[in-house]
Amino acid sequence: MNRRELLGGAALACVGLNGLAQTQAAVGLDGLARTSGRHFGFAVGPGYADKEPVKDLLRQHAGVITAENAMKWRSIENLFGVPDYTQADRVSAIAAGLNAQLRGHTLAWHQSTPARFVNATGEMFVQAQTSHLQALVSRYRGRIHTWDVLNEVIDADQPSGMRESVLSRLWGADRYPELFELTRVADPHAKLAYNDYGMEQDEPWCEHRRSAALHLLEAWVKRKVPVDVMGLQAHLDLSRRFSAARMLAFFDELSALGLTIQITELDVRDHTATTDLAARDAAVAALYSDFMDACMSHPAVEMVVMWNVTDADSWINRWSQGQRRPDGQPMRPTLFDDQGQPKRAFDAVAASLRQARVKFDKKAGNHV
Ligand code: 9MR
């Protein structure tokens, strides 16, 4: 039993004395997730993870750390193509300091492919992507719970269902399975994930993306590609409908393929919600509740990771993302406000984790 579990157990014993709210704060979100055999965590950058209030929030609630950007190829490589792992090592050290699992994000992604390859030949690129993958995976061998091997290659608008990008052009969509094979050899103990967005909500385009993902994964499983996990980013949006039944039917199909499910980048955009702060927070919390209750009812869901920690450090509120509310107010996508205070969304997620009756079933993903 580690320090977090001991603290969690002691705090749970005090439920009657202190009341639920204090218990949730004392146990922390990861402590609550563990009661149903799951993990809970956050994506962070070393720039803000080391500072308050994020530092303390991670100490209380994080059982998983993902590097928001630091392990991306573009972040590691300098302008001359020389790798520098300083930032990636810092995130790994933060996870170790928290006694948390480390998620690796991401080995192959068109958006993190260094710009110098734009005019490269396929041969040059395959060699560079292979060396990058092998060096990175070997560096953290034995430390990574799950690698996001491949990110965002589905495009339901293409007849093939696959995105056309620098990666499909230079590596080749038919060769994506090799990325998983290379990763398995470089770290046989890490779980291997395919990670993508836009499959959680109840819109026709999400349904198309779910079908495209299942089509791809079915083919890979048939070919015995070593893929263990479907990573669902879950960048949710209040302006889109949500149907637990539709999402859970998708989870059943993933699980029938022998895959486990990780929620990898959870947050909620509230760009269309009213200006009234309390009403906005209530609406965001309601979507968190619906989504998390559904996730916690499925035995293949093993992990939930938030994308960033507080509204102040959320990628959604960074100027570079170009997403704005019509009233000019920043969005409130995470569980904690700018000062690191828990919002209604925090209570919603804590309640879903605490009430989870269905435990994660480790045997769900054992086809390889
Ligand atoms: O949050 C990340 C942002 O800081 C980066 O500029 C961007 C490009 O590397 O990536 C963001 O994270 C993305 C993640 O890696 C993959 N899924 C979508 C995330 C939000 O865009």
Side-chain angles (χ1 to χ4, degrees):
M1 190 178 269
N2 66 23
R3 188 172 51 88
R4 187 179 295 107
E5 283 166 338
L6 272 172
L7 285 171
L12 274 175
C14 299
V15 174
L17 292 175
N18 296 331
L20 189 59
Q22 276 186 34
T23 304
Q24 286 174 349
V27 176
L29 296 175
D30 184 61
L32 292 173
R34 277 167 192 255
T35 59
S36 65
R38 297 173 166 107
H39 301 285
F40 193 93
F42 302 84
V44 299
Y48 57 88
D50 282 345
K51 299 190 188 95
E52 300 300 354
V54 170
K55 193 174 173 185
D56 190 48
L57 292 173
L58 293 177
R59 202 185 49 74
Q60 289 181 57
H61 302 291
V64 188
I65 290 293
T66 304
E68 179 185 2
N69 290 312
M71 291 190 184
K72 290 173 183 168
W73 195 0
R74 256 192 207 201
S75 308
I76 285 170
E77 207 180 86
N78 71 16
L79 287 175
F80 308 101
V82 178
D84 174 354
Y85 298 98
T86 314
Q87 301 301 310
D89 286 351
R90 279 180 71 189
V91 176
S92 168
I94 288 167
L98 292 164
N99 200 13
Q101 304 285 349
L102 183 59
R103 283 193 96 259
H105 176 81
T106 169
L107 297 170
W109 184 30
H110 60 282
Q111 278 194 45
S112 66
T113 299
R116 70 185 169 101
F117 291 108
V118 91
N119 294 317
T121 62
E123 200 183 345
M124 270 168 67
F125 181 77
V126 167
Q127 199 180 25
Q129 171 75 73
T130 302
S131 323
H132 162 71
L133 182 152
Q134 287 173 329
L136 190 57
V137 176
S138 306
R139 187 175 188 87
Y140 300 110
R141 184 185 167 107
R143 283 281 298 120
I144 300 279
H145 181 283
T146 302
W147 265 114
D148 285 334
V149 175
L150 183 62
N151 199 38
E152 301 177 6
V153 298
I154 282 165
D155 180 352
D157 293 336
Q158 297 294 329
S160 64
M162 301 296 284
R163 180 192 294 276
E164 286 179 6
S165 73
V166 63
L167 209 55
S168 67
R169 190 165 55 79
L170 294 177
W171 181 272
D174 54 337
R175 293 184 61 182
Y176 288 151
E178 287 171 45
L179 294 163
F180 291 86
E181 282 149 15
L182 287 166
T183 310
R184 172 101 329 144
V185 170
D187 186 349
H189 297 297
K191 292 192 179 203
L192 308 186
Y194 172 64
N195 192 50
D196 213 329
Y197 64 87
M199 297 181 203
E200 303 82 10
Q201 293 196 261
D202 186 21
E203 301 288 337
W205 64 271
C206 294
E207 187 61 37
H208 295 151
R209 290 181 62 78
R210 287 192 280 269
S211 301
L214 284 171
H215 183 72
L216 179 68
L217 290 163
E218 262 162 28
W220 285 355
V221 167
K222 209 179 264 174
R223 282 179 59 183
K224 303 225 177 305
V225 176
V227 54
D228 310 302
V229 177
M230 175 73 209
L232 294 168
Q233 296 185 3
H235 292 292
L236 306 181
D237 191 320
L238 267 188
S239 69
R240 298 176 192 148
R241 286 169 300 205
F242 175 72
S243 156
R246 290 248 159 99
M247 188 179 79
L248 289 172
F250 178 52
F251 285 13
D252 284 345
E253 298 202 71
L254 293 170
S255 175
L257 290 174
L259 302 172
T260 61
I261 297 164
Q262 297 181 4
I263 307 303
T264 54
E265 307 186 10
L266 179 59
D267 53 21
V268 174
R269 286 190 195 90
D270 65 336
H271 53 116
T272 51
T274 139
T275 6
D276 177 69
L277 218 58
R280 275 174 65 189
D281 280 359
V284 169
L287 181 52
Y288 269 113
S289 270
D290 291 347
F291 177 76
M292 284 295 294
D293 283 352
C295 288
M296 292 301 106
S297 76
H298 203 285
V301 175
E302 66 174 319
M303 177 182 283
V304 177
V305 178
M306 303 292 310
W307 205 244
N308 307 120
V309 185
T310 74
D311 290 342
D313 55 79
S314 169
W315 69 287
I316 288 174
N317 285 326
R318 284 180 215 151
W319 65 270
S320 55
Q321 300 301 327
Q323 291 178 308
R324 290 284 170 272
R325 285 176 49 88
D327 60 10
Q329 293 296 310
M331 286 191 244
R332 294 172 68 80
T334 72
L335 308 183
F336 302 99
D337 71 11
D338 286 357
Q339 274 72 48
Q341 292 302 312
K343 300 183 299 177
R344 291 184 65 170
F346 172 88
D347 298 331
V349 169
S352 295
L353 294 172
R354 184 174 46 79
Q355 288 156 10
R357 300 268 174 266
V358 175
K359 287 194 184 273
F360 167 60
D361 178 4
K362 282 193 183 125
K363 294 197 195 77
N366 59 0
H367 68 285
V368 280

Coordinates of all heavy atoms in Angstrom, one line a residue, residues 42 47 95 98 100 176 195 222 247 253 261 266 283 285 336 352:
F42 N -3.9 13.9 -14.9 CA -3.9 15.2 -15.6 C -2.8 15.3 -16.6 O -1.7 14.8 -16.3 CB -3.7 16.4 -14.6 CG -4.8 16.4 -13.5 CD1 -4.7 15.6 -12.3 CD2 -5.9 17.2 -13.6 CE1 -5.6 15.6 -11.3 CE2 -6.9 17.3 -12.6 CZ -6.7 16.5 -11.5
G47 N 6.2 23.9 -17.0 CA 6.1 25.3 -16.7 C 5.1 25.6 -15.6 O 5.3 26.5 -14.8
A95 N 5.9 13.1 -12.4 CA 5.1 11.9 -12.2 C 5.7 11.0 -11.1 O 5.1 10.5 -10.2 CB 5.0 11.1 -13.5
L98 N 5.2 12.3 -7.6 CA 3.8 12.1 -7.2 C 3.5 10.6 -7.0 O 2.4 10.3 -6.6 CB 2.9 12.7 -8.2 CG 2.9 14.2 -8.4 CD1 2.2 14.6 -9.7 CD2 2.2 14.9 -7.2
A100 N 2.9 8.7 -9.4 CA 1.8 8.6 -10.3 C 2.3 7.8 -11.5 O 3.5 7.7 -11.8 CB 1.3 10.0 -10.7
Y176 N 0.9 1.9 -40.6 CA 0.7 2.4 -39.2 C 0.9 1.2 -38.2 O 1.5 1.5 -37.1 CB -0.7 3.0 -39.0 CG -0.9 4.4 -39.6 CD1 -2.1 4.8 -40.0 CD2 0.2 5.2 -39.7 CE1 -2.3 6.1 -40.6 CE2 0.0 6.5 -40.3 CZ -1.2 6.9 -40.7 OH -1.4 8.1 -41.3
N195 N -5.1 6.9 -30.2 CA -5.8 8.0 -29.5 C -6.4 8.9 -30.5 O -5.8 9.3 -31.5 CB -4.7 8.8 -28.7 CG -5.2 9.8 -27.7 OD1 -6.1 9.5 -26.9 ND2 -4.7 11.0 -27.8
K222 N -7.6 -8.0 -36.2 CA -7.6 -9.2 -37.1 C -6.2 -9.5 -37.5 O -5.8 -10.7 -37.5 CB -8.5 -9.0 -38.3 CG -9.1 -10.2 -38.9 CD -9.9 -9.9 -40.1 CE -11.4 -9.8 -39.7 NZ -12.2 -9.4 -40.9
M247 N -22.8 6.2 -26.6 CA -21.4 6.1 -26.3 C -21.1 4.7 -25.7 O -20.1 4.1 -26.1 CB -21.0 7.2 -25.3 CG -19.5 7.3 -25.1 SD -19.0 8.6 -24.0 CE -19.3 7.8 -22.4
E253 N -18.5 -2.2 -28.3 CA -17.8 -2.7 -29.5 C -16.3 -2.7 -29.4 O -15.6 -3.6 -29.8 CB -18.3 -1.9 -30.7 CG -19.8 -2.0 -30.9 CD -20.2 -1.7 -32.3 OE1 -19.9 -2.5 -33.2 OE2 -20.8 -0.6 -32.5
I261 N -10.3 0.9 -22.5 CA -10.6 2.3 -22.9 C -10.0 3.3 -21.9 O -10.2 3.1 -20.7 CB -12.2 2.5 -23.0 CG1 -12.8 1.6 -24.1 CG2 -12.5 4.0 -23.2 CD1 -14.3 1.5 -24.0
L266 N -9.7 14.8 -21.1 CA -11.1 15.3 -20.8 C -11.1 16.8 -20.5 O -10.3 17.3 -19.6 CB -11.6 14.5 -19.6 CG -13.0 14.9 -19.1 CD1 -14.1 14.7 -20.2 CD2 -13.4 13.9 -17.9
A283 N -24.1 24.0 -16.0 CA -24.2 23.3 -17.2 C -23.0 22.4 -17.5 O -23.1 21.3 -17.9 CB -24.5 24.3 -18.4
A285 N -21.0 21.2 -15.3 CA -21.0 20.1 -14.3 C -21.9 19.0 -14.7 O -21.6 17.8 -14.6 CB -21.3 20.6 -12.9
F336 N -11.2 23.0 -11.9 CA -10.8 24.0 -10.9 C -10.7 25.4 -11.6 O -10.3 25.5 -12.7 CB -9.4 23.7 -10.4 CG -9.3 22.3 -9.8 CD1 -8.8 21.2 -10.5 CD2 -9.7 22.1 -8.4 CE1 -8.7 20.0 -9.9 CE2 -9.7 20.8 -7.9 CZ -9.2 19.8 -8.6
S352 N -19.2 10.9 -9.4 CA -19.2 9.8 -10.4 C -18.2 8.7 -10.0 O -18.4 7.5 -10.0 CB -18.9 10.2 -11.8 OG -19.9 11.1 -12.3

